[in-house]
Amino acid sequence: MKQLQSLDYVVFLLYFVSVTSYGYWVYQRKKKAEISTKDFFLAEGSLTWWAIGASLLASNISAEHFIGMSGSGFAIGLAISSYEWMSAAALVIVAVFFVPIFLKNKIYTMPQFLSQRYNNTVATIMAVFWLLLYVFVNLTSILYLGALAIESITSIPFLYAMLGLAIFAIFITLGGMKVIGYTDFIQVIVLIIGGLVVTYLALDMVSDRFHSGGVFGGLLELRTQADDHFHMIFSEGDKYYDALPGFAILFGGMWINNLNYWGCNQYIVQRTLGADLPTARSGILFAAFLKLLMPLICVIPGIAMYVLYQNGAFQNEMAIDGIIKPDHSYPTLMNLLPAGLKGLSFAALTAAIVASLAGKSNSISTIFSLDIYKKSLNPNASEAQTVWVGRIAIWVSFGIALLIAPQLRQLEQAYQFIQEYSNYLTPGAFALFSLGLFWKRTTSTAAIVAAVASIPLVVLFKNLHTFIGGNPIPFLHVTSWVYVILVALMVLISLADRSSVDNPKGLAVERADFTVSSQFAIISILIMGIVAALYTVFY
């Protein structure tokens, strides 16, 4: 039944009041007489490791995970978990090699790093690209998918749901990174508990249908009833090969996507930039452990729905005009929850959406204020003026998103929309950062060429099949090929420039100490071991 009952509203109201009250308390407790850009955008020194880790996860998880990944679990199976499990491995690499350099050089934003490492031209090009991507693709699609998910689960109309999410997120974002970071911890607790409730329901239903003996029996029954949904690596020719192209998951484009997302993305890295190195690293490892758990919350319910559907359940709920709609998996399960638990699950979904919206808009505000306004429009702006402009940027970005989001209803798969358009910047951005971080001879000229060439090359490879025939190239392969070409171009251009032998820009970025503590090393090896074991078991 597509509506919440009185008890559900009580549970949701309790969640809403808890988050807003806690956020206001954090804001009052930690606010300063004169707020600085460092304090507003980075919450310098005030976020603990658990707040950083929770905020990393909360910023990453949104409606597309609950709805989209559950739908992919129904259609594809456990293989879609690669996005989560490989993220955990990538986070370890980021903690060891990326974050120490950013903190050593007192980096506030990713464009600032590019400016320091290369020049202002490279930084401005990428800042504009990132702003356009964050506002017109990421923020808009999160708002759209979130409102669509709420509409599909409750009786709340799409436009009201969209406005409610935007206002809730703006309220949190205007308090700055401190409020976002600490409220994200509550959001993650609600997200995990509410998500596990839906997983429990799904596995309990499987157990009842097959008399498997409880929830754990239901989990084991999934492997028996849907063995083809527990293969992690697809061979060429498989109908899902284009989405998850074989060993590109383990050795190719998946690494580029994840390392760029977790290590070079303002939206994510910003949570760690105000902390000391041990705290930042601990927070990242905490986020990695949470990422290992996400398939249990987002993917397993979809596989359970597939098993139930194949055995005669939910035939009407999972299809429209005879066509199966995998993305109906999660909403269908939520609508089966009893009063109270449905409210908790609805709160979990809302928590994921609002946290992502707040994190994304804060990053938009940071890049615009520090890398566009402060650097180019008003270099003499005071700290208070810059923060004020940052808050205006939050309102403007949400205004744009509210205007564009309803237009996404015309798309068949909004999740693919996010992946496809985000991928235009990924190879170029990661080429700039990977060589900029670890090869001091890389020149500014090489960086400009890579920044400008990234989008045309991605477009060329995406449409190559129309010129030479054959099938479209999977986007993870496109990512790999374009990245390799851009790195080769950057190396050749840099080597051809003799002045790069003693490149002052390369030396402007101080080398960092990559030494790790024994405790950090043990936990990192444990995470990598768990990822390796999962792929071994489900190969």
Side-chain angles (χ1 to χ4, degrees), residues 459-472:
V459 172
L460 174 64
F461 274 88
K462 281 180 178 291
N463 296 282
L464 194 61
H465 65 285
T466 61
F467 302 107
I468 63 174
N471 297 319

Side-chain angles (χ1 to χ4, degrees), residues 66-79:
F66 281 94
I67 308 299
M69 289 196 75
S70 182
S72 294
F74 182 99
I76 298 175
L78 195 64

Side-chain angles (χ1 to χ4, degrees), residues 90-165:
L91 279 164
V92 173
I93 303 299
V94 169
V96 175
F97 297 108
F98 287 55
V99 170
I101 296 177
F102 293 145
L103 295 183
K104 177 75 172 179
N105 291 275
K106 303 185 185 305
I107 299 300
Y108 289 11
T109 70
M110 295 300 97
Q112 180 200 344
F113 170 81
L114 296 177
S115 177
Q116 185 172 320
R117 176 60 181 83
Y118 298 116
N119 59 32
N120 287 337
T121 302
V122 177
T124 301
I125 290 172
M126 293 306 296
V128 171
F129 281 162
W130 273 318
L131 281 176
L132 293 174
L133 177 69
Y134 287 174
V135 175
F136 289 93
V137 177
N138 296 132
L139 189 68
T140 300
S141 57
I142 292 170
L143 193 59
Y144 164 73
L145 286 171
L148 194 65
I150 289 174
E151 182 187 46
S152 68
I153 293 163
T154 71
S155 57
I156 300 173
F158 175 83
L159 289 177
Y160 290 130
M162 192 171 62
L163 284 169
L165 289 171

Side-chain angles (χ1 to χ4, degrees), residues 257-396:
N257 267 7
N258 279 329
L259 287 173
N260 179 69
Y261 180 86
W262 294 103
C264 313
N265 182 355
Q266 181 71 30
Y267 173 46
I268 295 298
V269 181
Q270 189 167 339
R271 277 116 187 91
T272 67
L273 297 181
D276 58 68
L277 184 57
T279 303
R281 279 178 161 172
S282 297
I284 292 172
L285 289 190
F286 180 42
F289 264 117
L290 293 175
K291 288 297 282 183
L292 293 175
L293 296 175
M294 291 315 297
L296 182 64
I297 293 172
C298 297
V299 181
I300 293 299
I303 300 176
M305 284 297 291
Y306 171 79
V307 169
L308 293 168
Y309 177 83
Q310 292 297 313
N311 285 271
F314 307 114
Q315 300 293 313
N316 294 328
E317 290 84 352
M318 293 303 300
I320 295 179
D321 297 327
I323 300 175
I324 299 174
K325 298 290 185 181
D327 284 353
H328 287 192
S329 298
Y330 206 85
T332 298
L333 281 169
M334 284 186 64
N335 283 319
L336 294 172
L337 287 169
L341 289 181
K342 185 176 180 181
L344 177 62
S345 183
F346 177 57
L349 180 62
T350 304
I353 299 164
V354 169
S356 291
L357 289 171
K360 186 64 73 179
S361 59
N362 183 265
S363 295
I364 292 167
S365 170
T366 304
I367 291 177
F368 180 80
S369 303
L370 300 182
D371 296 301
I372 303 293
Y373 175 75
K374 178 76 172 174
K375 184 177 290 184
S376 303
L377 301 179
N378 188 4
N380 298 319
S382 66
E383 294 282 287
Q385 284 178 310
T386 306
V387 171
W388 180 81
V389 167
R391 287 183 167 135
I392 295 298
I394 293 168
W395 284 100
V396 172

Side-chain angles (χ1 to χ4, degrees), residues 38 64 84 268 296 374 411 435 463 511 529 532:
K38 216 170 188 181
E64 69 265 23
E84 306 303 300
I268 295 298
L296 182 64
K374 178 76 172 174
L411 300 175
L435 289 185
N463 296 282
R511 300 294 111 180

